[in-house]
């Protein structure tokens, strides 16, 4: 026989067997086992060692798409490749061909053929089986590469969709804050620092989440280590979680981060009447809330307790205690009108803390001021004291005048205010002359009348009026009796007048409460002192009578005063 012919026949037989076994069985076996191995690699459940545990400071589980998805994809590709290699080298070439067919054994069962012809036949089909294995591995690898490419595109699209959701969530939060003018700042002394994101506490375990926003820990929600799902955006409900300052770790009111904050410091010398005026403003805002669409509530239980303590001091003694401590904690109120709200920070610092440049520089809250409440005690001005006669001098001394005159007080802080915030020229100032009940009794001075700035200039404080008009974007003036506006015998007209400076400053931030200042003039109890800068005061004698009535009522009131509530 022709050896060449034999070789050709064997080659053709080998090729036919190889193609037949490859297309009929081998290729599909390779693909099935490789895809099964790849799918099993994706099913990584704890305590699978392939899951890389996050050990960073954030008590949340990283999002699947941000890390584990890529590792699982790599594990799947590796598992498929190893399966193909194992099937080719170990199973088909090693076990089936070399150890079984070439030894005359059945390729499936491994049993030895019964006769020599059967063993010869098995040895003849061994090369075709090896070729089938090679072809199956090659074709399976090509097809698996296509599947892997398609799958990689899908994974990439998932990652891009997640990143788009992250960008959309962050953009929505930023646009919301930008549109509402929300700037988050700590209200506590020793901090006062701004922050882009508060620390949010998990309601399940109390863990502190410092990165609760769309990101690597989740686009729409974060999963705490305790298993609790937390919303990662304001629109998704993050505002409902307890929050803390990321710098000083003290609790923040729920409105921080969802409501525009308005910072208003009360500036005045020691004993100028800042704390009394603060109490009168609180009562005045509550009075306005009963007669208009204005809404007022305390931002936290601590603010409610502080306001109640202040009210009890007034009801027991008729005076507030001197402000103590270094930097003040802001008293926080939620003030709303219609659909708009403001989180109002009211700062009542010690008079000594604003006496010179060094101490003023330490009042960090001034850098965030949206307006200034300048508490003016004209009885402390040297030019006013020199104008008083004997009887009036005693009355003025009994009113506990401030340690510094208003001009000196203003000069002590105005330069540092510009240095801290750099916005003095864009800020409004509400100048509030206090102790009107005493000023009404002085015969040596003209009684307070509108316009107040003209009256101030008439008693020798024209320098202060000029400075305020020059240094600030807008200035308005009021004369208030805090004694007549606080306590059980307070007059509604005095209460509302005391709140007008705050309402005017809030109106400058876009809260539509400016109309309340004008509406008050039409009410029966309100015309005794018209709005600043307009009209003429023709009710000064009536104001004095109101002040006397308030003093009599205060002398006869009960030892305990009314409790404030968080929903006036």
């Amino acid at each position: 026989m022709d050896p060449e012919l034999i070789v050709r026949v064997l080659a053709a037989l080998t090729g036919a067997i190889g193609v037949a076994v490859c297309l009929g069985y081998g290729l599909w076996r390779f693909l099935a086992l490789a895809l099964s191995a790849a799918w099993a690699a994706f099913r990584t459940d704890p305590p699978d060692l392939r899951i890389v545990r996050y050990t960073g400071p954030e008590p949340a589980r990283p999002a699947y798409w941000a890390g584990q998805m890529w590792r699982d994809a790599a594990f799947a590709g590796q598992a498929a490749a190893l399966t193909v290699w194992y099937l080719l080298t170990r199973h088909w070439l090693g076990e089936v061909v070399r150890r079984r067919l070439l030894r005359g054994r059945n390729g499936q069962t491994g049993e030895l053929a019964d006769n020599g012809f059967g063993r010869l036949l098995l040895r003849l089909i061994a090369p075709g089986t090896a070729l089938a294995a090679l072809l199956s591995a090659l074709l399976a690898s090509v097809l698996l590469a296509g599947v892997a490419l398609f799958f990689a595109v899908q994974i990439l699209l998932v990652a891009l969709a997640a990143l788009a959701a992250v960008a959309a969530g962050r953009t929505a939060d930023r646009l919301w804050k930008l549109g509402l003018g929300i700037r988050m700042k700590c209200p506590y002394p020793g901090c006062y620092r701004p922050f882009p994101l508060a620390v949010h506490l998990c309601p399940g375990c109390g863990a502190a989440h410092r990165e609760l926003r769309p990101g690597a820990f989740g686009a729409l929600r974060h999963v705490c280590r305790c298993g609790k799902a937390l919303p990662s955006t304001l629109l998704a409900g993050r505002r409902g979680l307890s929050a803390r300052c990321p710098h000083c770790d003290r609790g923040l009111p729920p409105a921080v981060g969802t409501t525009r904050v308005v910072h208003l410091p009360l500036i005045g010398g020691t004993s100028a009447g800042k704390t009394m005026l603060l109490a009168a403003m609180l009562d005045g805002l509550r009075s306005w809330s009963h007669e208009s669409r204005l809404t007022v509530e305390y931002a936290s239980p601590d603010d409610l307790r502080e306001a109640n303590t202040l009210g009890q001091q007034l009801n027991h003694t008729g005076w507030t205690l001197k402000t103590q401590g270094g930097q003040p904690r802001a008293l926080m109120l939620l003030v709303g009108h219609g659909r708009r709200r403001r989180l109002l920070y009211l700062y009542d610092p010690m008079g000594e803390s604003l006496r010179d440049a060094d101490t003023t520089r330490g009042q960090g809250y001034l850098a965030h001021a949206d307006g200034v409440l300048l508490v003016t005690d004209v009885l402390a001005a040297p030019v006013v004291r020199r104008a008083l006669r004997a009887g009036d001098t005693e009355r003025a001394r009994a009113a506990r005048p401030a340690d510094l005159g208003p001009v000196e007080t203003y000069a002590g802080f105005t330069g540092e205010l510009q240095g801290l915030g750099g916005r003095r020229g864009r800020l409004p100032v509400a100048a509030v002359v206090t102790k009107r009940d005493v000023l009404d009794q002085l015969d040596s001075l003209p009684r307070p009348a509108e316009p107040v700035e003209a009256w101030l200039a008439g008693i020798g404080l024209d320098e202060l009026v000029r400075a305020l008009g020059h240094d600030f974007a807008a200035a308005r003036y009021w004369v208030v009796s805090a004694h007549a506006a606080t306590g059980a015998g307070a007059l509604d007209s005095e209460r509302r007048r005391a709140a007008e400076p705050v309402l005017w400053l809030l109106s400058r931030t876009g809260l539509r409460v400016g109309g309340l200042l004008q509406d008050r003039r039409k009410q029966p109890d309100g015309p005794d002192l018209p709005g600043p800068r307009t009209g003429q005061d023709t009710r000064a004698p009536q104001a004095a009578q109101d002040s006397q009535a308030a003093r009599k009522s205060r002398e006869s009131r009960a030892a305990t005063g009314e409790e404030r509530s968080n929903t006036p």
Side-chain angles (χ1 to χ4, degrees):
M1 296 181 65
D2 188 358
E4 183 178 353
L5 179 60
I6 296 175
V7 171
R8 288 180 179 180
V9 171
L10 291 176
L13 181 62
T14 299
I17 294 174
V19 172
V21 172
C22 171
L23 297 179
Y25 175 77
L27 173 61
W28 315 115
R29 183 65 174 170
F30 270 79
L31 287 176
L33 292 178
L35 291 176
S36 297
W39 175 250
F42 263 101
R43 300 176 60 184
T44 52
D45 299 320
D48 196 313
L49 298 179
R50 291 173 295 176
I51 298 179
V52 179
R53 294 191 176 276
Y54 174 73
T55 58
E58 187 69 9
R61 302 173 185 173
Y64 179 72
W65 57 265
Q68 190 63 41
M69 181 178 72
W70 303 98
R71 288 188 287 271
D72 287 349
F75 290 146
Q78 183 180 16
L82 289 176
T83 299
V84 171
W85 180 254
Y86 174 83
L87 288 174
L88 175 64
T89 59
R90 297 289 183 90
H91 180 70
W92 286 75
L93 296 181
E95 182 67 23
V96 175
V97 174
R98 187 170 63 85
R99 295 180 181 178
R100 293 181 181 179
L101 295 178
L102 290 179
R103 294 180 180 181
R105 296 178 179 272
N106 186 288
Q108 296 292 329
T109 64
E111 295 180 356
L112 185 66
D114 296 334
N115 50 58
F117 178 77
R119 290 192 289 273
L120 176 62
L121 183 62
L122 290 174
R123 290 187 180 96
L124 289 175
I125 65 175
T129 304
L131 177 61
L134 291 172
L135 291 176
S136 298
L138 180 61
L139 291 177
S141 298
V142 172
L143 293 176
L144 288 173
V147 172
L149 179 61
F150 176 79
F151 193 65
V153 172
Q154 302 303 310
I155 290 179
L156 183 60
L157 291 177
V158 169
L160 291 177
L163 291 175
V166 168
R170 291 198 177 192
T171 301
D173 273 2
R174 289 174 182 172
L175 290 178
W176 181 333
K177 292 178 182 179
L178 182 63
L180 297 180
I182 296 174
R183 295 171 294 158
M184 294 182 288
K185 298 178 179 65
C186 181
Y188 293 102
C191 188
Y192 301 129
R193 296 169 65 182
F195 51 87
L197 183 67
V199 176
H200 294 87
L201 304 183
C202 173
C205 64
H209 292 254
R210 293 180 172 271
E211 293 294 332
L212 191 56
R213 58 183 172 183
F217 296 97
L220 299 179
R221 65 175 188 169
H222 291 191
V223 178
C224 184
R225 288 175 179 170
C226 70
K228 184 75 172 179
L230 307 178
S232 62
T233 64
L234 290 171
L235 297 177
R238 189 179 64 196
R239 70 185 75 185
L241 302 177
S242 299
R244 304 185 71 84
C245 173
H247 302 299
C248 66
D249 199 36
R250 284 178 277 191
L252 298 171
V256 168
T258 62
T259 308
R260 179 175 176 178
V261 179
V262 178
H263 302 260
L264 297 181
L266 281 77
I267 305 299
T270 303
S271 193
K274 298 189 304 299
T275 308
M276 287 287 293
L277 179 62
L278 176 61
M281 288 175 173
L282 296 179
D283 286 343
L285 290 173
R286 295 174 64 217
S287 179
W288 274 117
S289 69
H290 297 153
E291 301 295 333
S292 68
R293 297 175 60 199
L294 189 75
T295 59
V296 181
E297 58 182 295
Y298 296 99
S300 70
D302 290 339
D303 299 296
L304 177 59
R305 282 192 293 270
E306 184 177 343
N308 280 330
T309 301
L310 186 59
Q312 290 169 5
Q313 290 174 5
L314 284 168
N315 286 324
H316 280 292
T317 65
W319 295 92
T320 58
L321 298 178
K322 180 179 179 294
T323 304
Q324 302 292 332
Q327 297 176 330
R329 174 192 178 275
L331 178 65
M332 294 173 281
L333 299 172
L334 272 170
V335 182
H337 191 268
R339 299 178 61 182
R340 300 188 181 187
R341 296 199 310 170
R342 295 291 183 268
L343 179 57
L344 178 60
Y345 283 25
L346 289 171
Y347 299 91
D348 179 21
M350 294 190 307
E352 295 86 348
S353 63
L354 301 170
R355 182 166 295 181
D356 53 50
D358 291 336
T359 56
T360 302
R361 199 175 297 120
Q363 307 301 307
Y365 55 89
L366 293 177
H368 313 309
D370 296 286
V372 174
L373 285 160
L374 183 63
V375 184
T376 305
D377 183 5
V378 299
L379 298 177
V383 65
V384 173
R385 288 201 301 266
R386 287 194 298 268
L388 299 180
R389 293 191 288 272
D392 288 345
T393 301
E394 294 301 322
R395 294 188 185 96
R397 186 179 297 113
R400 306 178 186 179
D403 59 342
L404 287 178
V407 176
E408 292 77 12
T409 300
Y410 176 73
F413 93 96
T414 181
E416 293 305 314
L417 175 64
Q418 176 67 16
L420 285 169
R423 301 184 300 124
R424 187 184 65 187
R426 302 195 298 271
L427 296 180
V429 58
V432 184
V433 178
T434 56
K435 305 178 182 178
R436 196 193 70 183
D437 51 330
V438 178
L439 295 173
D440 285 339
Q441 302 176 43
L442 301 181
D443 298 326
S444 307
L445 298 176
R447 288 186 176 178
E450 293 290 336
V452 179
E453 58 269 39
W455 175 78
L456 287 171
I459 64 174
L461 293 176
D462 52 326
E463 179 183 353
L464 177 64
V465 175
R466 288 196 302 270
L468 294 179
H470 177 269
D471 294 339
F472 289 88
R476 290 186 72 170
Y477 301 79
W478 283 262
V479 182
V480 172
S481 171
H483 265 293
T486 54
L491 303 172
D492 279 343
S493 60
E494 293 293 339
R495 282 178 170 175
R496 295 176 187 176
R497 181 181 297 113
E500 285 185 6
V502 175
L503 293 176
W504 177 70
L505 290 171
L506 287 174
S507 71
R508 302 279 301 186
T509 70
L511 192 65
R512 297 175 180 175
V513 294
L516 298 181
L517 280 67
Q518 301 169 2
D519 293 343
R520 188 186 67 81
R521 303 177 201 168
K522 302 176 184 179
Q523 299 175 6
D525 62 349
D528 47 335
L529 196 62
R533 290 189 182 274
T534 61
Q536 183 68 28
D537 185 6
T538 60
R539 299 293 301 276
Q542 179 65 39
Q545 295 175 12
D546 289 347
S547 300
Q548 293 172 4
R551 286 194 297 275
K552 291 179 181 179
S553 177
R554 187 176 291 107
E555 291 171 358
S556 62
R557 66 176 177 261
T560 59
E562 57 180 342
E563 279 289 302
R564 291 173 169 83
S565 69
N566 203 36
T567 55

Coordinates of all heavy atoms in Angstrom, one line a residue, residues 34 43 56 386 439:
A34 N -17.2 27.2 30.6 CA -16.6 28.4 30.8 C -17.6 29.5 31.3 O -17.3 30.3 32.2 CB -15.9 28.9 29.5
R43 N -21.3 35.4 41.5 CA -22.1 35.2 42.7 C -21.2 35.1 43.9 O -21.0 34.1 44.5 CB -22.9 33.9 42.5 CG -23.8 33.9 41.3 CD -24.5 32.6 41.1 NE -25.3 32.2 42.2 CZ -26.0 31.1 42.3 NH1 -25.9 30.2 41.3 NH2 -26.7 30.8 43.4
G56 N -12.2 51.7 55.8 CA -11.9 53.2 55.9 C -12.8 53.8 57.0 O -13.5 53.1 57.7
R386 N -23.7 115.3 79.0 CA -23.4 116.7 79.4 C -24.6 117.6 79.2 O -24.7 118.7 79.9 CB -22.3 117.3 78.4 CG -20.9 116.7 78.8 CD -19.8 117.5 78.1 NE -19.9 117.4 76.6 CZ -19.3 116.5 75.9 NH1 -18.5 115.6 76.5 NH2 -19.4 116.5 74.6
L439 N -36.0 107.7 78.0 CA -35.8 108.9 77.2 C -37.1 109.7 77.2 O -37.1 111.0 77.1 CB -35.5 108.5 75.8 CG -34.1 107.8 75.6 CD1 -33.9 107.3 74.2 CD2 -33.0 108.8 76.0

